[in-house]
């Protein structure tokens, strides 16, 4: 198969170990979100549920990605390089994963900021997120750089819409939050921009010199790092916001089953 470069032992193992690490991170994050869910006020528990779903879906896909990677290369006869086995590495796992998790990630943020008034913004952002992923896929699997550029460009349109909406649409909602909470929300939004901005950059790496072994390895490692930050790291931030807001609403985090006085917000 032309277009599948030979890898050194180091290159193959690097990707292999990153997949393994990412799988473990998603698995651990899942346990964390499930255990933390009862420690936030009931109105924020859907956000924690969504965090758990995101890392569960991602964990499953990383397991499949990990297997697919192992199956798509074999050691050459000399034992000093990995060559294509004939079974193509399945990039679709990653895109199906994004299709399911990216709309949930957007919804999580909106739900934690304003659990009451969320319908329309969630719907339009989740739709845009799905569109972004679908439009990116034909470019991702193409070895032709022109095709990659065209689909990448189309995918960037809904991407910009999301970024713009999160800047303007959430601005108003943030005004109504207390000082500590709005700092947390601002940081979470920053984390979202920084990590999401990383994906199109990783996507563009092959433009530097085609799908070489180096580009292929960098793309896989880059997506792993971005996924751990954008799913597990971001979920922890969402938890921090939910916990802070629960406290501000009078809940005692340690004894969540018995809220003190929900009616009277406790001062700090
Ligand atoms: C957990 C997975 C996440 C948060 C994935 C996010 C993915 C993106 C923001 C992807 C964006 C892309 C573009 C803006 C253009 C090129 C194609 C994509 C799909 C890599």
């Amino acid at each position: 198969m032309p277009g599948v470069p030979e890898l050194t032992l180091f290159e193959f193992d690097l990707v292999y170990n990153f997949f393994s690490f990412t799988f473990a991170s998603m698995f651990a994050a899942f346990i964390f979100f499930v255990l933390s869910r009862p420690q936030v006020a009931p109105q924020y528990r859907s956000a924690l549920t969504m965090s758990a779903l995101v890392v569960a879906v991602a964990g499953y896909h990383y397991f499949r990605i990990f297997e697919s990677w192992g199956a798509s290369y074999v050691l050459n006869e000399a034992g000093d390089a990995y060559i294509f086995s004939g079974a193509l590495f399945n990039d679709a796992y990653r895109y199906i994963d994004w299709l399911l998790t990216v709309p949930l990630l957007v919804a999580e943020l909106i739900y934690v900021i304003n659990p009451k008034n969320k319908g329309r913004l969630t719907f339009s952002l989740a739709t845009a997120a799905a569109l972004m992923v679908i439009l990116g896929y034909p470019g991702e699997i193409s070895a032709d750089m022109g095709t990659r550029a065209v689909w990448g460009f189309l995918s960037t349109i809904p991407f910009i819409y999301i970024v713009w909406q999160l800047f303007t649409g959430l601005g108003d909602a943030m005004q109504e939050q207390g000082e500590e909470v709005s700092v947390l929300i601002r940081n979470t939004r920053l984390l979202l921009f920084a990590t999401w901005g990383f994906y199109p950059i990783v996507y563009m790496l092959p433009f530097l010199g085609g799908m070489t072994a180096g580009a292929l390895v960098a793309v896989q490692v880059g997506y792993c790092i971005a996924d751990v930050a954008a799913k597990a790291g971001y979920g922890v931030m969402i938890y921090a916001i939910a916990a802070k807001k629960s406290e501000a609403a009078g809940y005692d985090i340690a004894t969540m089953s018995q809220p003190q006085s929900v009616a009277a917000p406790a001062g700090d």
Side-chain angles (χ1 to χ4, degrees), residues 4 10 22-23 31 112 131-132 156-158 163 165 185 188 193 201 205-206 208-209 215 229-230 243 263:
V4 180
F10 174 77
T22 307
F23 173 67
I31 295 174
V112 85
L131 207 62
M132 171 185 85
T156 306
I157 299 168
V163 171
Q165 278 291 310
I185 293 176
T188 308
F193 291 146
I201 295 172
L205 287 177
L208 297 177

Side-chain angles (χ1 to χ4, degrees), residues 236-251:
V236 172
M237 296 291 287
I238 295 283
Y239 162 71
I241 296 172
K244 200 40 93 196
K245 290 183 78 167
S246 305
E247 253 171 29
Y251 285 85

Side-chain angles (χ1 to χ4, degrees), residues 51-152:
S51 291
L53 289 176
V54 164
V55 292
V57 169
Y60 162 76
H61 281 109
Y62 265 98
F63 179 66
R64 303 305 302 261
I65 288 173
F66 184 59
E67 284 190 314
S68 176
W69 180 256
S72 64
Y73 290 92
V74 285
L75 262 181
N76 66 3
E77 270 171 34
D80 61 1
Y82 277 95
I83 53 172
F84 183 50
S85 72
L88 200 59
F89 175 65
N90 190 353
D91 254 326
Y93 288 134
R94 191 180 284 296
Y95 273 74
I96 300 288
D97 174 66
W98 291 355
L99 193 58
L100 298 170
T101 55
V102 173
L104 279 169
L105 289 168
V106 178
E108 247 174 68
L109 184 60
I110 299 170
Y111 268 64
V112 85
I113 291 176
N114 193 348
K116 279 190 224 86
N117 191 358
K118 59 197 184 265
R120 248 191 36 168
L121 187 60
T122 308
F123 181 77
S124 60
L125 289 187
T127 309
L131 207 62
M132 171 185 85
V133 173
I134 291 168
L135 290 172
Y137 184 63
E140 186 76 74
I141 56 169
S142 173
D144 174 59
M145 292 302 127
T147 310
R148 200 176 178 91
V150 169
W151 290 105

Side-chain angles (χ1 to χ4, degrees), residues 8-31:
T8 64
L9 302 189
F10 174 77
E11 286 165 339
F12 177 85
D13 287 342
L14 187 68
V15 175
Y16 186 90
N17 291 330
F18 258 96
F19 287 154
S20 173
F21 159 77
T22 307
F23 173 67
S25 304
M26 297 299 174
F27 189 71
F30 176 76
I31 295 174

